[in-house]
Amino acid sequence: MSAAPLEVRHALGSYPVYVEPGLVGRLGALAARHLPGRRLALITDTGVAPRFREWRSGAADALELAAELVVPAGEGSKTRATWARLSDALLERGFGRDSAVIAVGGGMVGDLAGFVAATYLRGIPYLQVPTTLLAMLDASVGGKTAVDTPHGKNLIGAFHPPVAVAADPRALLTLPDREFRSGLAEAVKHGLVASREYFAWLAGSADAILARDEATLAELVRESVRIKAAVVAEDEREAGRRAILNAGHTVGHALEHASRYGLAHGEAVALGLVAECRLAEALGLAREGVAREVARLLERFGLPTRLPAPLPREEVLAAMAHDKKRRAAGLRLALPTGLGAMAPGEGWTVAASEADLVRALDSLG
Ligand SMILES: NC(=O)c1ccc[n+]([C@@H]2O[C@H](COP(=O)([O-])OP(=O)(O)OC[C@H]3O[C@@H](n4cnc5c(N)ncnc54)[C@H](O)[C@@H]3O)[C@@H](O)[C@H]2O)c1
Ligand SMILES: [Zn+2]
């Protein structure tokens, strides 16, 4: 199978996103096409490195790597300290302006290695090979790279789109169940914010998705990438439309924070989607039943729609007020009007009172 790649547009041009089972075995050809003649540095993490070797064993082509840099798996590696170590490793090995990075891993590696590429000698190209569902359908679109700081996540970074993205759904076979389900929350979000058809397809394909059928996963990743890329592109013409991608995340980020990251990102987003849909119903924006349909699909994917343990309400509300997308005029959220449609509001966000928010949060049990 060799489907035409999707094109993701950005301010300075566009890049292709290839989504094909077995693609990791053909990375040599992709690197030759998109990074011809360059010295290549692989950046990956300890969770992916051994698997990458397996995926590449019996590969159809050669991939010549001048350096293999492996960082410890986990968000704890997404720091300026690791960025400095990686950059120094490239300098020590004499990598010049004719070099390039291949980032193989989840969103952590993508953001970190992308930021190394963005800043190394004022910027060298990189090829992104996402290996988690989240990285394939979310982090590989938009060109954002970053590291975390003690003041917050993703606060130091740059826009630096990859030259291409190569997503191999076969790589998802080894992904731990919780990581896999976490990524599905973003797919549900994509259906909710932009496509009733996609939402229905997700519901109808749930068995094949959960069985990780590679052709079904390829279709899922393609559709999610198409939706996110379209929203990001429309943002340039329709100021602020990108805010709809924040659906489920205003409440979700606050829950993630208040749970001290005991909730995985996707689990918190699932809860956030349910609470925000209920809020949209209470405000009369969405018809009754939207929250129920969203909750049903999330549950089908094994995601939580009720809090596993109560969280202090004050802390959740305080965390929400710190959401960087918050407007000065009070709390504003991107809210749905129905499956596949978001309220235009003002800049695609709608104001909600604290009392309304409290009711929506309390509904999570
Ligand atoms: N740039 C963006 O637009 C954007 C968007 C969303 C999220 N992010 C970032 O993405 C990060 C989270 O990414 P993530 O959820 O992919 O987590 P992650 O990159 O930390 O990966 C999760 C774990 O899965 C392991 N893993 C990766 N691929 C595997 C595979 N195929 N098989 C088995 N194990 C595998 C990793 O080693 C790691 O232990 C956060 O830092 C977040 O800020 C960025
Ligand atoms: Zn998210």
Side-chain angles (χ1 to χ4, degrees):
M1 187 174 87
S2 184
L6 297 158
E7 284 294 318
V8 172
R9 291 199 291 115
H10 56 84
L12 301 173
S14 71
Y15 61 87
V17 177
Y18 301 88
V19 186
E20 285 172 46
L23 202 53
V24 172
R26 301 193 291 280
L27 267 188
L30 270 190
R33 186 182 315 161
H34 293 286
L35 301 166
R38 288 184 180 265
R39 275 184 88 192
L40 304 177
L42 172 77
I43 298 181
T44 187
D45 71 24
T46 49
V48 176
R51 297 193 166 88
F52 183 66
R53 268 191 292 280
E54 276 169 39
W55 298 329
R56 288 284 309 163
S57 71
D61 54 21
L63 176 65
E64 214 171 295
L65 298 168
E68 294 183 41
L69 308 175
V70 183
V71 304
E75 187 72 17
S77 281
K78 213 178 107 174
T79 61
R80 283 169 287 186
T82 318
W83 164 81
R85 272 200 296 281
L86 291 168
S87 305
D88 288 349
L90 295 177
L91 291 169
E92 281 153 20
R93 288 167 176 78
F95 276 82
R97 292 211 46 82
D98 62 341
S99 54
V101 167
I102 300 189
V104 181
M108 187 283 284
V109 164
D111 280 7
L112 173 69
F115 188 52
V116 169
T119 47
Y120 191 71
L121 305 179
R122 298 196 186 87
I124 57 173
Y126 76 114
L127 177 69
Q128 195 168 350
V129 185
T131 63
T132 65
L133 188 55
L134 180 89
M136 289 185 192
L137 52 73
D138 191 355
S140 62
V141 183
K144 289 183 180 173
T145 73
V147 291
D148 302 332
T149 81
H151 295 279
K153 281 179 49 116
N154 298 323
L155 294 182
I156 305 289
F159 277 96
H160 187 58
V163 290
V165 172
D168 183 348
R170 208 169 281 168
L172 298 176
L173 289 177
T174 55
L175 195 63
D177 202 49
R178 198 172 175 201
E179 301 283 349
F180 182 73
R181 284 186 280 110
S182 206
L184 290 175
E186 307 285 350
V188 173
K189 179 193 78 177
H190 288 145
L192 174 68
V193 304
S195 171
R196 157 187 279 284
E197 294 72 27
Y198 184 44
F199 191 95
W201 179 86
L202 288 170
S205 312
D207 285 338
I209 292 168
L210 291 169
R212 305 198 197 180
D213 171 67
E214 62 184 33
T216 307
L217 292 181
E219 211 169 328
L220 182 149
V221 171
R222 273 195 213 106
E223 197 50 35
S224 269
V225 165
R226 197 174 287 133
I227 288 172
K228 183 172 178 188
V231 172
V232 171
E234 282 162 11
D235 192 62
E236 285 163 24
R237 278 172 283 128
E238 217 173 322
R241 184 155 157 85
R242 203 176 175 144
I244 68 172
L245 294 171
N246 212 32
H249 282 65
T250 305
V251 171
H253 278 148
L255 296 174
E256 206 179 350
H257 193 263
S259 77
R260 309 271 183 276
Y261 295 86
L263 286 169
H265 177 70
E267 293 166 353
V269 168
L271 291 159
L273 286 169
V274 174
E276 292 180 17
C277 286
R278 292 208 177 113
L279 175 62
E281 289 181 13
L283 294 176
L285 291 167
R287 66 168 167 81
E288 202 137 324
V290 171
R292 204 177 328 116
E293 283 176 74
V294 169
R296 196 181 300 141
L297 182 53
L298 292 167
E299 279 163 14
R300 183 75 188 80
F301 287 150
L303 286 157
T305 56
R306 298 182 68 80
L307 278 171
L311 293 173
R313 181 201 280 170
E314 269 317 303
E315 235 175 272
V316 178
L317 288 170
M320 226 167 341
H322 281 124
D323 191 301
K324 62 174 185 280
K325 275 127 196 163
R326 196 190 72 123
R327 299 276 173 80
L331 207 56
R332 299 188 64 92
L333 301 92
L335 293 175
T337 56
L339 293 179
M342 297 296 283
E346 238 177 82
W348 297 94
T349 60
V350 175
S353 73
E354 186 160 305
D356 291 327
L357 275 165
V358 165
R359 260 192 301 279
L361 286 173
D362 286 353
S363 79
L364 296 175

